[in-house]
Amino acid sequence: MLEAVERKIDQMVAALEDADARELYRCLPAGKRLRARLILTIAGDGPEAVKLAAIVEMIHAASLLHDDVIDAAELRRGRPSINALYGDKTAIMFGDVLYSTAFTQLVDLGRPIARSIATAVTRLSLGERRDVLLSRRFHTDREAYLEMIYLKTAALIEAAAESAALLAGKRPEPYRRYGRNLGIAFQMIDDLLDVTEDEATLGKPAMHDLSEGKTTLPFIDLYEALDEAGQKRLLALHGRPIGAEDREWIREAMERHGIVERCRAEAGALIAEALELMRRAGETGLEQIARKMVERNS
């Protein structure tokens, strides 16, 4: 089913009749296609579902292009980012091309679906801005963190699930909640892997979030668990390159205070709630997608 989505995206990019756009798109790693898998599982693999999946994946790709510029990221899934290869201006403009192409195609799917996806993109943009604002200082505001990851990550997954349900003629509410929970859990695990995995697995430097100034859930929980001296040491690392000795100290402290298990349990509770909603809806095909989110290592 995903091959059909890839072909559809290729067709959309080819229809631009722009050789530069085609070349830039070939430089983008495909990723996990979580949102496409979700849509096709809910709505089947008919032409409209494939088109919706392609549109959502293009929007997601555009957001990552902008993210990489904001974060000055040189790698994306282990490969040089577009901004590293061609510069920030090219990455931003190509992101805009993907956004506008996706919205051009989206209008053909009807007002309710178009409104759902468009609203999610607005939230995504607000989440990107919220992420930048929160990164100005180390903070321990869990609610601010959860709201930010909902906007930046979960809103589009929520809309993908809701839109797929609308396309399939299913009641959208449980699918919307499933997508929301899945998206929040996905980002929680992503933030946890930034701490627990190495650069070879992540395709980016380990603990890159903290060195960028981001205060993610593992670091919020760790700060609360540390004594005063430990808190001062952690604060001193915020927004700065982290050496091997400090990385080892962070990992040891997280293990000692059970931070990794706590974060996984929080994400797991969201997944359990999502799966229960799907069981009540008589949906059996979404369990594997959800479980892969909390059991992955990259």
Side-chain angles (χ1 to χ4, degrees), residues 14-177:
L16 297 172
E17 298 182 345
D18 186 282
D20 182 58
R22 289 196 298 272
E23 177 60 29
L24 289 170
Y25 180 71
R26 280 195 289 267
C27 294
L28 291 177
K32 299 176 181 66
R33 298 300 195 210
L34 164 65
R35 294 148 193 84
R37 291 178 188 275
L38 186 58
I39 290 166
L40 298 180
T41 301
I42 295 170
D45 59 354
E48 286 193 323
V50 169
K51 183 172 185 175
L52 175 61
I55 288 168
V56 171
E57 288 293 347
M58 289 183 78
I59 289 170
H60 177 56
S63 74
L64 295 181
L65 285 165
H66 288 183
D67 264 358
D68 286 345
V69 172
I70 293 167
D71 297 339
E74 295 185 355
L75 293 174
R76 167 60 59 183
R77 300 188 181 103
R79 293 168 54 180
S81 61
I82 295 294
N83 50 296
L85 290 170
Y86 300 103
D88 289 351
K89 290 181 180 179
T90 294
I92 291 170
M93 288 186 289
F94 185 49
D96 292 345
V97 167
L98 293 183
Y99 270 133
S100 55
T101 302
F103 275 97
T104 300
Q105 298 290 330
L106 183 61
V107 297
D108 295 335
L109 294 177
R111 184 184 294 268
I113 290 175
R115 179 178 292 276
S116 175
I117 300 297
T119 299
V121 174
T122 301
R123 288 173 177 160
L124 188 158
S125 300
L126 291 170
E128 288 177 339
R129 175 61 178 159
R130 195 80 58 88
D131 191 19
V132 170
L133 293 174
L134 287 173
S135 297
R136 290 178 173 175
R137 62 178 180 83
F138 190 97
H139 72 90
T140 57
D141 191 336
R142 289 172 62 90
E143 290 305 313
Y145 164 81
L146 291 171
E147 177 66 11
M148 183 272 291
I149 65 172
Y150 163 68
L151 293 169
K152 186 177 177 182
T153 301
L156 186 59
I157 299 175
E158 175 185 59
E162 178 185 47
S163 297
L166 289 168
L167 192 61
K170 299 176 179 179
R171 191 167 68 88
E173 287 78 9
Y175 294 90
R176 183 191 306 126
R177 184 67 185 186

Side-chain angles (χ1 to χ4, degrees), residues 224-245:
E224 298 290 352
L226 290 170
D227 60 19
E228 185 176 353
Q231 289 177 344
K232 287 181 179 178
R233 181 173 180 178
L234 184 61
L235 287 175
L237 298 173
H238 181 253
R240 298 180 181 180
I242 300 173
E245 183 179 341

